[in-house]
Amino acid sequence: MPEKHSIKIPGAPASEPASLEEPTTPREPLPPKPDQRGPEAVSPTGSPTGAPSTARAQSGQYLTTAQGLRLQDTDHSLKAGPRGPILLQDHHLREKITHFDHERIPERVVHARGAGAHGVFRSYGTAANITRAGFLAKDVETPVFVRFSTVLGSRGSADTVRDTRGFSTKFYTDEGTYDLVGNNIPVFFVQDGIKFPDIVHAAKPHPDREIPQAQSAHDTFWDFVSLHTEAQAHTMWNMSDRGIPRSYRTMEGFGVHTFRFVNAEGATTLVKFHWKPKQGVHSLVWEEAQIINGMDPDFHRRDLADAIEAGAYPEWELGVQTFPDTEDQMFEGIDLLDPTKFVPEELAPVQPIGLMTLNANPTNYFAETEQVAFHPGYLVPGIDVTNDPLLQVRLFSYLDTQISRLGGPNFGQIPINRPQAPVNDMLRDGMHQQAVHAGVAPYHPNSLDGGCPFLAGQDMGAFIDVPEELAASIKERRNPVSFDDHYSQVGLFFRSLSPVEQDHVIQAYTFELGKCYETSVRERQLAALANVDARLCAAVAKGLGLPAPSPSEQVQESKPSPSLSQVGKKWPVAGRIVGILADEGSDLAAVEAARQALDAEGIVPLVIAPAGGFLGSGNDGGVPVQRTYLTARSTEFDAVLVATPGTVAPDAAPGLDAKAAAPGDALDPRAVLLLTEAFRHAKAIATLDSNSAALKAAGIPADAPGIVSGKKVEGVIQELTGLLSAHRVWERFPAVSA
């Protein structure tokens, strides 16, 4: 009998098993896998070359530039000392980043799938003492355009995958365009931008099969982050519920880097940007995300557009953490130039400086959301950059990317990118030039055009680079020693979560690593988790069927930060969605009263009935139906109100819908399934009938947490609204791994 382990299981990412330790002995590139074959090796004109079909683009044992120059280091940009700015001289960095920027035509390499909206930002004026940026003066209103996005997937991928989200805002100020280009996670994968192509190549689908799409649950991603342990900080955030937000409207945003504010007197303050959603921070549970990806892959972009259309305008407060601009640029032992570190809000509270409201959807997706071009180097007077090595590379990379993606250097003239301030830049010609320039002297100084344009002084709103003294240093590829701590904040984040959130993190790591083929990759990541938290490592190892390793480093534990947990707070309910199960036998007057009461709270009520059209009749045409049992799923709703026993729908036939009723069923199983899922996902459920047959059919106890019943609509809606403010009925999720 053949041994059970001889069965060929597909999914090996490479032609040889991976080693546990990083390989260090030089060797030639691995051959293709047995199931792979390249095109025949012929010349550009079709002549045979005699080379084997397995000939590959890669050759040689050593990493080189595109011109064959061997490299000693590809993890550190060339800087003026470990803490100094990156040098333009770094030819390897420029070649590596430039090639990466031009890998996709015309789709974005990262952040390809996005959703956008127009809005307005109103400043509170509370930052006026630390920055002279005009749009942050008191009561100034500035038009904005925001683009949300996922990082890994293509334009055709799904919305609710576990991934980092982009949160980029274009401020059309009267001093020029300012772009705050951020994410929904405050820490990044890597510390130096020279590694950015590497982490994206590792996280994207495997290049041989172009799978998996929009996922990090595969070998190349975990191979990279387990070897580059600085990535553990970002990975921990992504494995938490933050990786699957409920909505863009309930998602935080972060500027990631430390920036510098400059006030009217020239004094400087270091800041980190935060976007705080007024509706609170809220995420999906894993099963919800999986169902949504099949039922409605456009869930997030639809949710954003529908909320704006319904008048439930999403709002975020912009806030800053502020720090003294000291010579060492450290705060409470945290290096402010390390983009893999965050500063707990208990150490530096977030100070609100303005409110952003998104109040209009784009007219045309391609012209606006697809063509909008962001750049962290689009600054205004009063805001400057720091020597963060990731930010320094982004200042080059974003501009270079837009030139390729948008067809030339004049992408700033596309309507969505045009500044709403006077432009006289002396830039001329180029592909897609739309301006008709006058004058004969596009240079400075000149006399032939009357000297125009002229230079401006600080008193005329000019941008002034902050004079920064650079210490005597050596030109080298190296990070400061403070960048070496890769674990302390990772453990701080995990221990700051509630028990149920910690369960979700454990489940996420177990799922992601369980999708990896190579045991060595799983073991290496477990070794990293052992340095983060022993209980986390043990639980994940148990799920993988592997032994839990001992820590290799002694990591100092930090005090938990309560602000990191999404559980236990109360939030406004405006913009929430409540599904109302009803049919012709329902008390339609009560259904209409419930609709009106929910609408008065800013909640969107959607009636779910056996068939479409209207329920009942009358002068007003009856109660309109927005969803049917066929088109509704629990994942769309934040809560459910039951006003029907779940009458069988006309299309309830197993041959039409596998979830539909069988002959003789008293209730439609799709209505029962909706309630079962809502209960399982800890959503509030209300009923206007204390003896609801639908709840009984779903096996939902009437006295379970978060179940509301009553005859009076007003009281039921009041209780339901109170439950909605907590996002979920968390008492239904007892911790399992504590």
Side-chain angles (χ1 to χ4, degrees), residues 8 12-21 23 27 30 33 219 223 517-521 524:
K8 180 64 176 175
S15 57
E16 292 183 9
S19 61
L20 176 60
E21 301 296 330
R27 59 170 294 173
L30 293 178
K33 291 168 56 179
D219 287 80
D223 185 43
Y517 182 90
E518 294 287 0
T519 300
S520 59
V521 171
R524 198 185 311 124

Side-chain angles (χ1 to χ4, degrees), residues 58-100:
Q58 303 98 320
S59 64
Q61 300 178 13
Y62 296 96
L63 179 67
T64 73
T65 67
Q67 307 307 315
L69 177 67
R70 289 185 180 180
L71 295 166
Q72 184 185 43
D73 189 334
T74 190
D75 290 339
H76 302 90
S77 300
L78 190 64
K79 300 188 281 290
R83 301 188 68 79
I86 289 174
L87 303 178
L88 185 62
Q89 173 189 335
D90 194 345
H91 58 92
H92 171 46
L93 164 69
R94 287 186 286 112
E95 178 186 73
K96 185 176 179 180
I97 290 293
T98 299
H99 193 281
F100 171 75

